[in-house]
Amino acid sequence: GDSVTQMEGPVTLSEEAFLTINCTYTATGYPSLFWYVQYPGEGLQLLLKATKADDKGSNKGFEATYRKETTSFHLEKGSVQVSDSAVYFCALKALGGGADGLTFGKGTHLIIQP
Amino acid sequence: EAEVAQSPRYKITEKSQAVAFWCDPISGHATLYWYRQILGQGPELLVQFQDESVVDDSQLPKDRFSAERLKGVDSTLKIQPAELGDSAMYLCASSFTGGNSPLHFGNGTRLTVT
């Protein structure tokens, strides 16, 4: 079945550091890919998405590129802020058929220190 | 911006009792999902509705869990009887129909079974 693997956390960085959170996936066909962010005690918020190979999703300074050849969708940000501290989830959505719920990775807890 | 509404926000119940959660999706979203998120893990799909019909309930523990969306709008998830292992965050999400459509999540119901 479909699966998503993302780097284990917590990831601790200093403010203004460069961020990479790795995500790889296994799926049949060509799924849509998403990054969601979850702040403490809240639901998940969509951060960015990409729907086909070589697409780049971007939002709030975060970017991720859909790499079909490496089945990856790594999240990057050039300069992180304390307010970016949260849990980040990589997810895929299979195309075709009625059942198209998101398959999530286990999440990466990001801690940004001032 | 329209939001997915969930209630209650928190619920504490004793094991063997019945408990119910309610979700009102974003207007116009035909697809509705219930997820369970155990602390420190990614959300796992319990059930997916397309309008009032169940599309996928393969991971729903049907001996104790039930879900309905009678008029194709709001939805209820019930657990009877609750067990200690059911303690988790229960998240509702909705989306437009289609593989590229992102899911929009509510803030969830935090269930504690004592």
Side-chain angles (χ1 to χ4, degrees):
Chain A
D2 298 342
S3 66
V4 175
T5 302
Q6 54 183 114
M7 60 192 293
E8 300 268 337
V11 173
T12 304
L13 296 172
S14 298
E15 204 166 21
E16 299 184 1
F18 184 86
L19 168 70
T20 300
I21 300 178
N22 291 335
C23 171
T24 57
Y25 66 90
T26 301
T28 303
Y30 303 108
S32 292
L33 300 174
F34 303 84
W35 276 100
Y36 281 81
V37 59
Q38 186 175 35
Y39 298 98
E42 297 185 7
L44 281 71
Q45 300 176 21
L46 177 66
L47 183 58
L48 52 84
K49 71 172 186 177
T51 59
K52 62 182 186 295
D54 300 325
D55 264 3
K56 177 184 284 188
S58 61
N59 186 28
K60 299 180 181 179
F62 290 90
E63 295 183 338
T65 301
Y66 190 140
R67 301 289 189 198
K68 186 178 68 173
E69 62 276 13
T70 55
T71 61
S72 65
F73 193 54
H74 304 322
L75 182 68
E76 297 181 335
K77 186 176 185 182
S79 177
V80 292
Q81 305 300 313
V82 172
S83 58
D84 294 327
S85 299
V87 181
Y88 292 80
F89 292 93
C90 184
L92 69 83
K93 193 179 191 191
L95 300 182
D100 61 358
L102 289 172
T103 299
F104 286 91
K106 292 185 176 181
T108 302
H109 186 192
L110 176 64
I111 301 169
I112 307 300
Q113 297 178 333
Chain B
E1 182 178 319
E3 296 181 346
V4 175
Q6 288 190 247
S7 67
R9 189 71 193 274
Y10 303 95
K11 180 70 178 180
I12 301 174
T13 192
E14 295 182 347
K15 65 178 182 179
S16 79
Q17 296 299 304
V19 63
F21 315 127
W22 176 81
C23 172
D24 191 14
I26 292 172
S27 178
H29 283 189
T31 309
L32 185 147
Y33 310 81
W34 283 102
Y35 282 83
R36 177 170 59 187
Q37 184 180 21
I38 296 171
L39 190 64
Q41 298 185 20
E44 296 179 323
L45 181 67
L46 291 175
V47 62
Q48 176 186 345
F49 288 92
Q50 178 66 34
D51 299 309
E52 66 277 6
S53 300
V54 172
V55 173
D56 182 4
D57 63 356
S58 57
Q59 300 304 310
L60 187 71
K62 299 182 188 63
D63 57 334
R64 298 185 301 106
F65 285 65
S66 64
E68 60 183 16
R69 194 184 183 198
L70 293 177
K71 297 183 179 178
V73 181
D74 59 337
S75 176
T76 302
L77 178 70
K78 298 179 181 178
I79 308 174
Q80 182 173 17
E83 297 181 352
L84 295 177
D86 296 331
S87 294
M89 175 80 88
Y90 290 83
L91 294 164
C92 180
S94 68
S95 76
F96 290 113
T97 303
N100 295 333
S101 300
L103 275 62
H104 299 264
F105 285 82
N107 281 330
T109 296
R110 168 70 68 186
L111 173 66
T112 302
V113 182
T114 62

